[in-house]
Short mmCIF file of all heavy atoms in Angstrom, two decimals:
data_model
loop_
_atom_site.label_atom_id
_atom_site.label_comp_id
_atom_site.label_asym_id
_atom_site.label_seq_id
_atom_site.Cartn_x
_atom_site.Cartn_y
_atom_site.Cartn_z
N PRO A 1 -7.82 -15.45 8.18
CA PRO A 1 -6.96 -15.86 9.31
C PRO A 1 -5.56 -15.42 9.10
O PRO A 1 -4.94 -15.71 8.06
CB PRO A 1 -7.08 -17.40 9.36
CG PRO A 1 -8.36 -17.67 8.59
CD PRO A 1 -8.46 -16.70 7.57
N ASN A 2 -4.98 -14.72 10.08
CA ASN A 2 -3.59 -14.20 10.00
C ASN A 2 -3.32 -13.33 8.73
O ASN A 2 -2.23 -13.30 8.18
CB ASN A 2 -2.57 -15.38 9.98
CG ASN A 2 -2.60 -16.23 11.29
OD1 ASN A 2 -2.74 -15.55 12.33
ND2 ASN A 2 -2.43 -17.43 11.18
N GLN A 3 -4.37 -12.61 8.39
CA GLN A 3 -4.30 -11.70 7.25
C GLN A 3 -4.87 -10.34 7.60
O GLN A 3 -5.82 -9.92 7.00
CB GLN A 3 -4.95 -12.30 5.97
CG GLN A 3 -4.29 -13.48 5.36
CD GLN A 3 -4.91 -13.93 4.10
OE1 GLN A 3 -6.18 -13.83 3.92
NE2 GLN A 3 -4.20 -14.49 3.17
N PRO A 4 -4.20 -9.64 8.55
CA PRO A 4 -4.76 -8.33 8.95
C PRO A 4 -4.55 -7.29 7.90
O PRO A 4 -3.56 -7.33 7.08
CB PRO A 4 -3.99 -8.05 10.22
CG PRO A 4 -2.72 -8.75 10.04
CD PRO A 4 -3.00 -9.96 9.21
N ILE A 5 -5.50 -6.42 7.84
CA ILE A 5 -5.38 -5.18 7.01
C ILE A 5 -5.50 -4.04 7.98
O ILE A 5 -6.51 -3.89 8.68
CB ILE A 5 -6.41 -5.07 5.96
CG1 ILE A 5 -6.29 -6.29 5.01
CG2 ILE A 5 -6.27 -3.85 5.11
CD1 ILE A 5 -7.46 -6.42 3.98
N TRP A 6 -4.45 -3.13 8.00
CA TRP A 6 -4.54 -2.08 8.97
C TRP A 6 -3.83 -0.78 8.40
O TRP A 6 -3.07 -0.86 7.41
CB TRP A 6 -3.77 -2.44 10.22
CG TRP A 6 -2.41 -3.05 10.12
CD1 TRP A 6 -2.16 -4.40 10.05
CD2 TRP A 6 -1.15 -2.36 9.97
NE1 TRP A 6 -0.75 -4.62 9.83
CE2 TRP A 6 -0.17 -3.29 9.81
CE3 TRP A 6 -0.85 -1.04 9.92
CZ2 TRP A 6 1.16 -2.99 9.64
CZ3 TRP A 6 0.49 -0.68 9.75
CH2 TRP A 6 1.48 -1.65 9.59
N ALA A 7 -4.19 0.31 9.00
CA ALA A 7 -3.59 1.61 8.64
C ALA A 7 -3.19 2.34 9.91
O ALA A 7 -3.87 2.25 10.97
CB ALA A 7 -4.64 2.48 7.85
N LEU A 8 -2.10 3.12 9.81
CA LEU A 8 -1.64 3.82 11.01
C LEU A 8 -2.58 4.97 11.35
O LEU A 8 -2.80 5.25 12.51
CB LEU A 8 -0.19 4.43 10.71
CG LEU A 8 0.88 3.40 10.40
CD1 LEU A 8 2.12 4.13 10.01
CD2 LEU A 8 1.10 2.53 11.62
N ASN A 9 -3.15 5.67 10.33
CA ASN A 9 -4.16 6.73 10.54
C ASN A 9 -4.89 6.92 9.26
O ASN A 9 -4.70 6.18 8.33
CB ASN A 9 -3.53 8.04 11.07
CG ASN A 9 -2.59 8.71 10.18
OD1 ASN A 9 -2.51 8.35 9.03
ND2 ASN A 9 -1.87 9.73 10.70
N LYS A 10 -5.73 7.98 9.15
CA LYS A 10 -6.56 8.15 8.01
C LYS A 10 -5.77 8.52 6.72
O LYS A 10 -6.08 8.12 5.63
CB LYS A 10 -7.58 9.34 8.27
CG LYS A 10 -8.63 8.94 9.21
CD LYS A 10 -9.52 7.78 8.71
CE LYS A 10 -10.59 7.28 9.62
NZ LYS A 10 -11.84 8.09 9.50
N SER A 11 -4.58 9.26 6.88
CA SER A 11 -3.76 9.55 5.77
C SER A 11 -3.14 8.26 5.13
O SER A 11 -2.99 8.06 3.91
CB SER A 11 -2.66 10.55 6.06
OG SER A 11 -1.73 9.99 6.99
N HIS A 12 -2.75 7.32 6.02
CA HIS A 12 -2.28 6.04 5.60
C HIS A 12 -3.37 5.19 4.97
O HIS A 12 -3.10 4.57 3.89
CB HIS A 12 -1.63 5.22 6.80
CG HIS A 12 -0.95 4.00 6.42
ND1 HIS A 12 -0.81 2.96 7.33
CD2 HIS A 12 -0.37 3.56 5.29
CE1 HIS A 12 -0.17 1.96 6.68
NE2 HIS A 12 0.10 2.25 5.50
N LEU A 13 -4.55 5.27 5.46
CA LEU A 13 -5.60 4.62 4.86
C LEU A 13 -5.95 5.10 3.48
O LEU A 13 -6.21 4.35 2.58
CB LEU A 13 -6.90 4.69 5.80
CG LEU A 13 -8.14 4.05 5.37
CD1 LEU A 13 -7.99 2.50 5.16
CD2 LEU A 13 -9.28 4.34 6.28
N LYS A 14 -5.89 6.41 3.34
CA LYS A 14 -6.14 7.03 2.00
C LYS A 14 -5.10 6.51 0.99
O LYS A 14 -5.46 6.24 -0.16
CB LYS A 14 -6.00 8.55 2.16
CG LYS A 14 -6.39 9.29 0.82
CD LYS A 14 -6.35 10.76 1.11
CE LYS A 14 -6.67 11.57 -0.19
NZ LYS A 14 -6.54 13.02 0.02
N TYR A 15 -3.89 6.41 1.46
CA TYR A 15 -2.82 5.85 0.54
C TYR A 15 -3.14 4.44 0.11
O TYR A 15 -2.98 4.06 -1.04
CB TYR A 15 -1.48 5.94 1.24
CG TYR A 15 -0.39 4.99 0.64
CD1 TYR A 15 0.30 5.38 -0.48
CD2 TYR A 15 -0.22 3.78 1.26
CE1 TYR A 15 1.19 4.48 -1.05
CE2 TYR A 15 0.69 2.89 0.63
CZ TYR A 15 1.40 3.26 -0.52
OH TYR A 15 2.35 2.38 -1.10
N LEU A 16 -3.53 3.60 1.12
CA LEU A 16 -3.77 2.24 0.78
C LEU A 16 -4.95 2.06 -0.23
O LEU A 16 -4.88 1.21 -1.12
CB LEU A 16 -4.12 1.46 2.11
CG LEU A 16 -2.91 1.29 3.09
CD1 LEU A 16 -3.43 0.66 4.40
CD2 LEU A 16 -1.83 0.41 2.53
N ILE A 17 -6.01 2.84 -0.01
CA ILE A 17 -7.12 2.75 -0.93
C ILE A 17 -6.68 3.22 -2.33
O ILE A 17 -7.09 2.56 -3.31
CB ILE A 17 -8.25 3.69 -0.40
CG1 ILE A 17 -8.86 3.11 0.88
CG2 ILE A 17 -9.35 3.90 -1.45
CD1 ILE A 17 -9.88 3.95 1.59
N ALA A 18 -5.91 4.23 -2.39
CA ALA A 18 -5.38 4.68 -3.74
C ALA A 18 -4.50 3.64 -4.35
O ALA A 18 -4.60 3.43 -5.54
CB ALA A 18 -4.64 5.99 -3.55
N TYR A 19 -3.70 3.02 -3.53
CA TYR A 19 -2.83 1.93 -4.05
C TYR A 19 -3.55 0.71 -4.60
O TYR A 19 -3.36 0.28 -5.68
CB TYR A 19 -1.78 1.47 -2.99
CG TYR A 19 -0.99 0.35 -3.37
CD1 TYR A 19 0.20 0.46 -4.18
CD2 TYR A 19 -1.34 -0.99 -2.95
CE1 TYR A 19 0.95 -0.62 -4.57
CE2 TYR A 19 -0.58 -2.10 -3.34
CZ TYR A 19 0.47 -1.92 -4.15
OH TYR A 19 1.26 -3.07 -4.54
N VAL A 20 -4.51 0.25 -3.83
CA VAL A 20 -5.22 -1.00 -4.18
C VAL A 20 -6.13 -0.66 -5.37
O VAL A 20 -6.37 -1.48 -6.24
CB VAL A 20 -6.00 -1.44 -2.98
CG1 VAL A 20 -6.96 -2.64 -3.36
CG2 VAL A 20 -5.09 -1.93 -1.83
N SER A 21 -6.75 0.57 -5.43
CA SER A 21 -7.62 0.92 -6.52
C SER A 21 -6.99 0.98 -7.91
O SER A 21 -7.57 0.76 -8.88
CB SER A 21 -8.32 2.32 -6.21
OG SER A 21 -9.06 2.19 -4.98
N ASP A 22 -5.71 1.47 -7.90
CA ASP A 22 -5.01 1.72 -9.13
C ASP A 22 -4.38 0.42 -9.66
O ASP A 22 -3.57 -0.17 -9.06
CB ASP A 22 -3.87 2.73 -8.94
CG ASP A 22 -3.54 3.46 -10.23
OD1 ASP A 22 -3.36 2.77 -11.28
OD2 ASP A 22 -3.42 4.68 -10.25
N LYS A 23 -4.80 0.06 -10.94
CA LYS A 23 -4.25 -1.18 -11.55
C LYS A 23 -2.86 -0.90 -12.21
O LYS A 23 -2.15 -1.82 -12.45
CB LYS A 23 -5.22 -1.74 -12.52
CG LYS A 23 -6.55 -2.09 -11.97
CD LYS A 23 -7.48 -2.67 -12.99
CE LYS A 23 -8.84 -3.02 -12.37
NZ LYS A 23 -9.77 -3.54 -13.40
N LEU A 24 -2.59 0.38 -12.46
CA LEU A 24 -1.27 0.70 -13.12
C LEU A 24 -0.48 1.66 -12.18
O LEU A 24 -0.72 2.83 -12.26
CB LEU A 24 -1.54 1.36 -14.48
CG LEU A 24 -0.32 1.60 -15.40
CD1 LEU A 24 0.29 0.27 -15.74
CD2 LEU A 24 -0.69 2.42 -16.62
N ARG A 25 0.36 1.06 -11.38
CA ARG A 25 1.06 1.82 -10.30
C ARG A 25 2.42 2.23 -10.86
O ARG A 25 3.15 1.47 -11.44
CB ARG A 25 1.21 0.92 -9.11
CG ARG A 25 -0.11 0.51 -8.50
CD ARG A 25 -0.05 -0.75 -7.75
NE ARG A 25 -1.40 -1.24 -7.26
CZ ARG A 25 -1.68 -2.48 -6.94
NH1 ARG A 25 -0.77 -3.33 -6.95
NH2 ARG A 25 -2.87 -2.76 -6.59
N THR A 26 2.79 3.53 -10.50
CA THR A 26 4.07 4.06 -10.97
C THR A 26 4.79 4.72 -9.77
O THR A 26 4.16 4.93 -8.72
CB THR A 26 3.87 5.10 -12.10
OG1 THR A 26 2.99 6.16 -11.54
CG2 THR A 26 3.27 4.45 -13.31
N LYS A 27 6.06 5.02 -10.00
CA LYS A 27 6.80 5.83 -8.98
C LYS A 27 7.65 6.84 -9.76
O LYS A 27 8.03 6.63 -10.91
CB LYS A 27 7.65 4.92 -8.17
CG LYS A 27 8.74 4.12 -8.94
CD LYS A 27 9.51 3.22 -7.87
CE LYS A 27 10.58 2.40 -8.69
NZ LYS A 27 11.38 1.61 -7.77
N ASN A 28 8.03 7.88 -9.06
CA ASN A 28 8.79 8.96 -9.79
C ASN A 28 10.21 9.07 -9.14
O ASN A 28 10.82 10.17 -9.10
CB ASN A 28 8.08 10.34 -9.69
CG ASN A 28 7.74 10.76 -8.24
OD1 ASN A 28 8.20 10.11 -7.34
ND2 ASN A 28 7.06 11.82 -8.10
N PHE A 29 10.78 7.93 -8.65
CA PHE A 29 12.09 7.98 -8.06
C PHE A 29 12.60 6.48 -8.13
O PHE A 29 11.93 5.57 -8.42
CB PHE A 29 12.03 8.36 -6.60
CG PHE A 29 11.07 7.60 -5.72
CD1 PHE A 29 11.60 6.43 -5.03
CD2 PHE A 29 9.80 7.93 -5.59
CE1 PHE A 29 10.75 5.69 -4.26
CE2 PHE A 29 8.89 7.17 -4.86
CZ PHE A 29 9.40 6.09 -4.20
N THR A 30 13.97 6.39 -7.92
CA THR A 30 14.55 5.03 -7.93
C THR A 30 14.51 4.49 -6.52
O THR A 30 14.48 5.21 -5.47
CB THR A 30 16.00 5.13 -8.43
OG1 THR A 30 16.77 6.00 -7.54
CG2 THR A 30 16.06 5.58 -9.87
N GLY A 31 14.58 3.14 -6.35
CA GLY A 31 14.59 2.54 -5.06
C GLY A 31 13.27 1.95 -4.69
O GLY A 31 12.31 2.00 -5.44
N LYS A 32 13.21 1.34 -3.51
CA LYS A 32 11.94 0.79 -2.98
C LYS A 32 10.83 1.84 -2.69
O LYS A 32 11.06 2.99 -2.41
CB LYS A 32 12.22 -0.02 -1.70
CG LYS A 32 13.15 -1.23 -1.92
CD LYS A 32 13.39 -1.94 -0.57
CE LYS A 32 14.33 -3.06 -0.79
NZ LYS A 32 14.57 -3.87 0.49
N THR A 33 9.54 1.42 -2.76
CA THR A 33 8.43 2.25 -2.49
C THR A 33 7.78 1.76 -1.22
O THR A 33 8.09 0.65 -0.69
CB THR A 33 7.43 2.19 -3.61
OG1 THR A 33 6.99 0.83 -3.78
CG2 THR A 33 8.16 2.63 -4.98
N ALA A 34 6.82 2.58 -0.75
CA ALA A 34 6.06 2.25 0.39
C ALA A 34 5.26 0.95 0.32
O ALA A 34 5.13 0.21 1.33
CB ALA A 34 5.13 3.41 0.79
N SER A 35 4.89 0.66 -0.86
CA SER A 35 4.04 -0.62 -1.07
C SER A 35 4.95 -1.83 -0.95
O SER A 35 4.44 -2.96 -0.82
CB SER A 35 3.40 -0.57 -2.42
OG SER A 35 4.35 -0.49 -3.48
N HIS A 36 6.28 -1.71 -0.96
CA HIS A 36 7.19 -2.84 -0.92
C HIS A 36 7.00 -3.64 0.39
O HIS A 36 7.16 -4.93 0.31
CB HIS A 36 8.64 -2.34 -1.03
CG HIS A 36 9.62 -3.45 -1.04
ND1 HIS A 36 10.04 -4.11 -2.23
CD2 HIS A 36 10.41 -4.09 -0.06
CE1 HIS A 36 10.91 -5.06 -1.90
NE2 HIS A 36 11.13 -5.05 -0.59
N SER A 37 6.62 -2.99 1.47
CA SER A 37 6.49 -3.73 2.74
C SER A 37 5.06 -4.23 3.00
O SER A 37 4.81 -4.84 3.97
CB SER A 37 6.86 -2.78 3.87
OG SER A 37 6.05 -1.59 3.85
N LEU A 38 4.23 -4.02 2.06
CA LEU A 38 2.85 -4.53 2.17
C LEU A 38 2.80 -6.03 2.06
O LEU A 38 3.51 -6.60 1.15
CB LEU A 38 1.89 -3.90 1.15
CG LEU A 38 1.55 -2.42 1.29
CD1 LEU A 38 0.71 -1.91 0.17
CD2 LEU A 38 0.80 -2.21 2.65
N PRO A 39 1.95 -6.76 2.77
CA PRO A 39 1.91 -8.24 2.61
C PRO A 39 1.40 -8.58 1.28
O PRO A 39 0.60 -7.78 0.61
CB PRO A 39 0.94 -8.65 3.73
CG PRO A 39 0.30 -7.39 4.21
CD PRO A 39 1.14 -6.24 3.89
N ALA A 40 1.77 -9.78 0.78
CA ALA A 40 1.43 -10.18 -0.59
C ALA A 40 -0.10 -10.23 -0.77
O ALA A 40 -0.57 -9.94 -1.90
CB ALA A 40 2.07 -11.55 -0.84
N TYR A 41 -0.82 -10.62 0.21
CA TYR A 41 -2.32 -10.89 -0.01
C TYR A 41 -2.98 -9.48 -0.24
O TYR A 41 -4.12 -9.42 -0.76
CB TYR A 41 -2.91 -11.54 1.23
CG TYR A 41 -2.64 -10.91 2.59
CD1 TYR A 41 -3.47 -9.89 3.06
CD2 TYR A 41 -1.61 -11.45 3.39
CE1 TYR A 41 -3.19 -9.33 4.35
CE2 TYR A 41 -1.43 -10.95 4.71
CZ TYR A 41 -2.19 -9.91 5.09
OH TYR A 41 -1.92 -9.31 6.30
#
């Protein structure tokens, strides 16, 4: 309830699958990342 999971299109969906699948997440730049805006759940 009130916990939607959505993607803008297939490329966004591919990103989400890669993000959730990887237990050790990294970034190659300073500042916020795309995952910062994802809901906590």
Side-chain angles (χ1 to χ4, degrees):
N2 295 323
Q3 293 184 325
I5 299 173
W6 49 265
L8 298 174
N9 65 11
K10 289 297 178 86
S11 68
H12 186 204
L13 179 61
K14 183 178 179 181
Y15 160 81
L16 291 173
I17 291 173
Y19 171 81
V20 174
S21 299
D22 201 316
K23 297 180 181 179
L24 188 62
R25 298 153 186 162
T26 59
K27 62 180 182 178
N28 56 7
F29 56 92
T30 58
K32 293 180 181 179
T33 61
S35 61
H36 183 82
S37 60
L38 290 176
Y41 55 83

